Amino acid sequence: TNPDLVVFGGDNISGYWEEFTYDYISKTIDKITAPIREKNIPFAIVFGNHDSEIIKNFRDFQMLLYMQYDNFIGCLNAEEMYGCGNCNILIKSSKSEAPAYNIWLIDSNDYPYNENGERMQGYDCIHKDQLDWYEKTAERLKKQNNGKPLPSILFQHIPVVQEMDAVEETTADCPDALYEKGENKYYKLKEEYRISGEMKELPSPPGNGDRTQFELWKKHGDVKAAFFGHDHVNTFRVNYKGI
């Protein structure tokens, strides 16, 4: 395909293996990035919930490993905020030095923890300081773009809750029915939203049901497409409210 940029979508390593060591992870990251580095293709990453499942705050160590490669684009964080790797990449116009497009790289974090540091049920969501940074940066880019939202593509691991709005219950005789064993129910994609691909597992958005992030995308009008890596075997694309 001769890509201009490769983005790793999270769960880049199986960080829940207890035998993992710093040296083992260093060699693993070197191995999974080798085909891209050999072709000198720029690449970036977002983290998934499995990347640092055994050791909290393990993302920083991994990010420093990625940052050692000359063709890597990214940083620990664009500014101080929750998570690791939150930043944006500007794509310049082919006719000038002005930015023509933007890429958001967001750390969707992993699991919620209580005040005692104990892991709670479900998946975490984007934290408020991350959302504040997104809003502030989107507004700054808008001012620099003659008052118009700078068109953007967003990458993060865990999907927004609104992805479930494109899913509905169905019956076993439906050709595209997906059986969810834990709920003993069948699901399918709503045809009014579906573009292509297949739903092979039920999406797993944040456990607290927070809908703020998508609503901010609509408010600022910059995000044209968002890509999620969390539900590993899903290949579907949907158009939900213009995104």
Side-chain angles (χ1 to χ4, degrees):
T1 58
N2 193 26
D4 296 299
L5 174 70
V6 173
V7 180
F8 283 63
D11 289 357
N12 308 312
I13 65 169
S14 301
Y16 47 82
W17 285 8
E18 301 220 15
E19 62 265 33
F20 262 22
T21 63
Y22 285 95
D23 181 61
Y24 190 89
I25 288 182
S26 178
K27 291 177 179 177
T28 299
I29 288 176
D30 202 56
K31 184 176 182 179
I32 65 175
T33 59
I36 299 166
R37 291 186 289 108
E38 289 165 3
K39 295 177 174 61
N40 198 32
I41 302 169
F43 79 101
I45 68 149
V46 293
F47 285 118
N49 54 295
H50 290 316
D51 283 298
S52 57
E53 193 160 356
I54 291 295
I55 306 173
K56 284 189 69 177
N57 302 321
F58 207 16
R59 285 166 155 77
D60 289 6
F61 169 73
Q62 293 177 52
M63 182 59 78
L64 291 173
L65 292 176
Y66 287 110
M67 289 171 63
Q68 71 181 328
Y69 303 125
D70 292 337
N71 60 324
F72 178 73
I73 300 173
C75 62
L76 288 168
N77 268 333
E79 64 181 47
E80 186 175 350
M81 71 186 94
Y82 197 88
C84 181
N86 297 288
C87 66
N88 69 295
I89 302 168
L90 292 177
I91 302 175
K92 293 180 181 179
S93 167
S94 58
K95 300 177 181 179
S96 70
E97 287 294 301
Y101 229 87
N102 178 51
I103 296 176
W104 296 105
L105 302 170
I106 307 294
D107 185 2
S108 56
N109 306 305
D110 45 21
Y111 307 99
Y113 295 87
N114 63 23
E115 57 186 16
N116 296 321
E118 299 167 329
R119 180 169 147 184
M120 300 166 65
Q121 286 289 100
Y123 296 104
D124 204 359
C125 64
I126 309 299
H127 289 226
K128 185 179 185 303
D129 57 357
Q130 294 174 279
L131 297 175
D132 291 343
W133 167 76
Y134 160 73
E135 287 206 271
K136 178 178 65 178
T137 307
E139 282 301 305
R140 174 172 54 81
L141 294 176
K142 181 178 179 180
K143 289 179 182 178
Q144 296 171 353
N145 194 40
N146 298 316
K148 298 179 182 179
L150 187 62
S152 302
I153 299 173
L154 184 141
F155 293 89
Q156 69 185 46
H157 186 71
I158 298 174
V160 291
V161 174
Q162 283 84 347
E163 190 169 282
M164 288 300 296
D165 294 351
V167 176
E168 64 182 352
E169 282 190 47
T170 187
T171 54
D173 57 353
C174 174
D176 297 326
L178 168 71
Y179 179 62
E180 182 66 19
K181 185 177 180 181
E183 299 182 20
N184 192 28
K185 294 179 181 178
Y186 292 87
Y187 294 93
K188 70 170 186 174
L189 292 171
K190 296 178 181 178
E191 288 304 318
E192 63 263 39
Y193 301 127
R194 179 175 179 168
I195 300 173
S196 65
E198 297 178 291
M199 181 172 66
K200 293 291 189 179
E201 61 180 300
L202 199 63
S204 301
N208 66 356
D210 184 75
R211 302 174 70 87
T212 306
Q213 189 184 20
F214 184 92
E215 292 166 358
L216 290 178
W217 297 347
K218 293 299 297 180
K219 172 186 173 182
H220 291 279
D222 63 324
V223 176
K224 304 301 179 185
F227 296 87
F228 312 107
H230 188 46
D231 304 307
H232 301 170
V233 297
N234 283 341
T235 62
F236 68 83
R237 293 189 299 146
V238 295
N239 186 326
Y240 184 72
K241 296 187 177 182
I243 297 178

